[in-house]
Every structure is written in structure tokens, then in C-alpha cells.
């Protein structure tokens, strides 16, 4: 656990700094040392230090100034700061805590006490990490479909207008693909809804693995219907992607109780190519157009991709 929290020491006394460093290294910590507050602060540009031990009295930026500067920085996590000083009056302790220190250790101190204080900091940092993970999980759950892991319609309604505006602003193409599993009701009726859920999970996994990470995104639009949003993608690229996925879906199998379930899917592609002027397509229009072309794929025999000339 300790090795996950590197420690930064800020102390202008070379002997005291070295003693601290040796003690912490022997206790299993990774340690980096700086001789003043400003150098310690600048080290955060290259590495994040969740634990900082800082002396109060240092030339230039002292320990209190370092505390204040760290509290103002936008950092990837919480920094647990222990202030080390011979100044131990109540007013000094209050000043240190108000500057942003989490703990206060008076010199001279026992090394065992120092390690105990650091371990307290580690427990707090572990709790902070757990809380952060829980919040991230809640955030993901609020925008994703619980069964498939794809984004949900709330996410679509919030972010597709942003993609359309970006497409217009930078004059870049935007494609939307609507797809649907063919005869999915037959899968549920024949094999049961639990098997149908497994088919949906395998299908959505295939979709998400086929798109560009952190660029394209996939939404479970409803039931067995899914939607791709493909920024900076013209109709030829969208068609190539849809066909690649269609062939892949037709080859894959979902095994349920030693029974292989095979499916196919149909696709409809809507592509927005911005024009000069103020014309801009709406979210409903681009989705409705893709859905219309998906319906045509169904009418024409399913297991196919349909698109029309660029839409404006």
C-alpha cells in the first residue's frame, strides 16, 4: 500500500532532509527531496505526490506558502501535507492548519511518530481514492445502459447536439448509424429472455470494440436498437464501418447451454455535411433519417446497410 504514495520532502537543511529521506526509504516509501518550497512546488509539474512533508522555515517559499500554493493547484488527487517545525505554540499550529496543512509535527520528533502520522495520511488517501472510484462509478451508471455498457439516451440527448454544433463550426462531416438485430423477438421467444440478454451483450460488445476509442460512441437506443455517433466521418467511412460490423456480427455466435445462437443485423446511415450559412440539422432529424434508412434495410431483406446521398 505504501509504495503507491510517493512522498515529497521540502527542507532546506541538508542533514535533516537526508535523515528524513533515509528513514522513509527504509520504511518502504519512494521519496523525492527538494531544498525549498518553490522547487518542491515545481516538481508537481512532472509528478504527483500525494504526501508532502515540509519544513516551515525555508528561504524563498516557506512551508506555509507551499501549503497555500498546493491547495490552489488543480491536481489529480488530494495531497496530505505534514508541516514539520520547532514552532509549536497554539497560534503557530492554527496558522499551519489554516494554510492548508493536514497534520503538524513538532521538532525534534520521534521517527516512529513520523511513520505513524504518515500511515494516518495513507489511510485518509485510501479513503479518498475509494470515494473517487465510487463517484466515478455513479457517474458512469448515470450515462450508461446497465445491461450492455453502452451510453444511454440521456447521454445521447445531451451530447449529440454538441457534436452537431462542432460539425457545423469546423465544417466537418458527422455520421450517425442506426442498427438493429434482425428477428430479435424470435431469439427471445425461442431461447428465453436471459439468452436474449446474452445476445444483446455480445452484440453491443462487438459494436463498442469496432469504433474508435474516445472519438466515436455507441448508444443503446431502445431494446435491440443501437446508434453510433461518428464525428469527422463521411458516408464512405461510415458505410465501411457498418459493413465491417455487419459481417462480424453474422460470423459470431452466442453459446447458451451448448446451443449456438446466430444473429444478423441491419444498418441505416445518416451523414451530415455542413454547408456555409446558418443551416444546421437537428438531433431529431439526423436520428429520424438514420432510422428511415434502417427501416429500408429491413424492407429490402435485412442483414444489409442502407445509405442515401449526403444529407444537408
Amino acid at each position: 500500500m505504501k509504495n503507491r504514495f510517493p512522498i515529497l520532502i521540502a527542507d532546506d537543511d541538508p542533514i535533516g532532509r537526508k535523515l528524513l529521506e533515509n528513514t522513509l526509504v527504509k520504511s518502504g516509501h519512494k521519496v523525492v527531496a527538494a531544498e525549498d518550497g518553490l522547487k518542491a512546488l515545481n516538481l508537481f509539474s512532472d509528478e504527483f505526490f500525494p504526501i508532502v512533508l515540509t519544513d516551515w522555515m525555508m528561504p524563498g517559499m516557506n512551508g506555509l506558502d507551499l501549503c497555500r500554493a498546493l491547495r490552489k493547484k488543480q491536481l489529480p488527487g488530494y495531497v496530505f501535507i505534514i508541516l514539520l517545525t520547532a514552532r509549536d505554540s497554539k497560534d503557530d499550529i492554527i496558522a499551519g492548519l489554516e494554510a492548508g496543512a493536514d497534520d503538524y509535527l513538532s521538532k525534534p520528533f520521534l521517527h516512529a511518530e513520523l511513520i505513524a502520522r504518515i500511515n494516518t495520511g495513507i489511510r485518509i488517501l485510501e479513503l479518498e481514492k475509494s470515494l473517487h472510484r465510487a463517484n466515478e462509478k455513479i457517474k458512469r451508471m448515470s450515462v450508461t445502459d446497465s445491461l450492455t455498457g453502452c451510453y444511454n439516451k440521456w447521454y445521447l440527448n445531451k451530447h449529440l447536439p454538441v457534436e452537431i454544433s462542432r460539425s457545423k463550426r469546423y465544417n466537418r462531416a458527422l455520421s450517425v448509424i442506426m442498427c438493429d438485430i434482425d428477428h430479435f423477438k424470435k431469439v427471445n421467444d425461442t431461447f428465453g429472455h436471459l439468452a436474449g440478454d446474452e445476445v444483446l451483450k455480445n452484440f453491443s460488445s462487438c459494436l463498442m470494440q469496432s469504433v474508435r476509442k474516445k472519438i466515436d460512441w455507441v448508444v443503446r437506443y431502445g431494446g435491440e436498437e443501437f446508434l453510433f455517433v461518428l464525428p469527422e466521418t463521411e458516408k464512405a467511412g461510415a458505410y465501411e464501418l457498418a459493413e465491417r460490423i455487419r459481417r462480424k456480427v453474422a460470423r459470431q455466435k452466442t453459446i447458451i447451454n451448448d446451443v449456438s445462437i446466430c444473429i444478423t443485423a441491419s444498418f441505416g446511415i445518416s451523414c451530415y455535411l455542413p454547408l456555409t450559412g446558418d443551416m444546421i440539422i437537428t438531433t431529431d432529424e439526423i436520428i429520424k433519417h438514420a432510422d428511415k434508412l434502417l427501416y429500408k434495410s429491413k424492407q429490402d431483406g435485412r442483414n444489409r446497410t442502407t445509405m442515401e446521398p449526403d444529407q444537408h
Side-chain angles (χ1 to χ4, degrees):
M1 179 175 69
K2 295 175 183 177
N3 289 331
R4 284 186 284 168
F5 295 105
I7 297 175
L8 175 61
I9 297 171
D11 194 335
D12 63 318
D13 177 13
I15 297 176
R17 188 170 64 243
K18 191 63 179 177
L19 287 172
L20 267 176
E21 186 174 356
N22 290 341
T23 299
L24 295 172
V25 168
K26 288 178 181 178
S27 299
H29 296 282
K30 175 187 174 184
V31 181
V32 175
E35 57 265 33
D36 60 54
L38 183 58
K39 289 183 179 179
L41 183 65
N42 289 337
L43 286 171
F44 274 84
S45 300
D46 300 318
E47 185 176 356
F48 175 64
F49 299 93
I51 299 177
V52 172
L53 303 179
T54 179
D55 191 24
W56 183 323
M57 301 302 295
M58 293 184 291
M61 179 180 282
N62 63 30
L64 265 60
D65 291 336
L66 175 59
C67 290
R68 296 186 186 100
L70 287 173
R71 295 306 179 215
K72 290 179 181 178
K73 286 180 71 69
Q74 294 294 323
L75 297 170
Y78 188 74
V79 179
F80 188 86
I81 305 174
I82 301 177
L83 193 61
L84 310 175
T85 180
R87 304 173 63 166
D88 58 359
S89 70
K90 288 185 178 180
D91 288 342
D92 291 330
I93 293 173
I94 292 171
L97 296 175
E98 288 182 342
D102 295 284
D103 205 348
Y104 194 102
L105 200 53
S106 299
K107 295 181 178 180
F109 50 81
L110 296 174
H111 287 164
E113 183 182 5
L114 172 64
I115 297 302
R117 299 293 181 96
I118 289 174
N119 287 338
T120 298
I122 288 174
R123 288 195 294 272
I124 291 172
L125 292 171
E126 287 286 2
L127 288 171
E128 191 267 341
K129 285 178 63 177
S130 297
L131 179 60
H132 178 74
R133 287 193 296 266
N135 287 337
E136 286 296 312
K137 183 178 180 180
I138 292 170
K139 182 179 178 181
R140 286 195 304 271
M141 290 174 63
S142 71
V143 298
T144 55
D145 173 64
S146 59
L147 177 66
T148 64
C150 297
Y151 287 115
N152 57 25
K153 290 183 75 172
W154 183 91
Y155 186 92
L156 173 70
N157 293 334
K158 182 176 181 179
H159 290 275
L160 183 53
V162 175
E163 293 292 356
I164 293 173
S165 296
R166 185 181 294 117
S167 172
K168 174 68 175 178
R169 186 182 312 118
Y170 297 108
N171 196 31
R172 300 297 182 99
L174 173 67
S175 290
V176 168
I177 303 175
M178 185 79 79
C179 68
D180 181 272
I181 298 175
D182 298 326
H183 301 298
F184 184 68
K185 184 178 183 300
K186 185 177 179 181
V187 173
N188 281 331
D189 291 344
T190 303
F191 303 101
H193 288 278
L194 291 179
D197 286 348
E198 289 302 312
V199 170
L200 281 172
K201 286 191 282 188
N202 284 347
F203 180 66
S204 61
S205 178
C206 175
L207 303 186
M208 290 188 288
Q209 291 172 7
S210 300
V211 300
R212 299 169 296 179
K213 292 182 179 180
K214 299 183 179 181
I215 300 175
D216 308 326
W217 37 285
V218 184
V219 174
R220 186 181 182 188
Y221 194 71
E224 67 273 24
E225 203 168 40
F226 293 78
L227 185 143
F228 299 79
V229 177
L230 312 174
E232 300 192 21
T233 303
E234 297 188 3
K235 65 176 183 177
Y239 183 81
E240 180 182 350
L241 173 65
E243 280 293 282
R244 186 167 69 248
I245 295 173
R246 184 185 64 80
R247 292 190 294 267
K248 185 176 178 181
V249 167
R251 292 193 302 266
Q252 76 176 15
K253 299 176 181 179
T254 300
I255 310 297
I256 304 292
N257 296 327
D258 297 325
V259 176
S260 296
I261 303 175
C262 300
I263 59 169
T264 60
S266 300
F267 298 78
I269 299 172
S270 178
C271 183
Y272 170 58
L273 290 170
L275 295 173
T276 56
D278 296 327
M279 182 180 294
I280 185 166
I281 197 168
T282 67
T283 297
D284 288 342
E285 287 170 338
I286 197 169
I287 292 176
K288 184 177 179 180
H289 189 69
D291 191 49
K292 175 184 175 182
L293 296 171
L294 168 62
Y295 182 71
K296 188 174 189 306
S297 289
K298 297 284 189 179
Q299 285 185 314
D300 291 344
R302 295 181 171 82
N303 191 22
R304 65 187 63 224
T305 301
T306 303
M307 66 178 182
E308 287 181 354
D310 297 337
Q311 160 195 11
H312 304 293

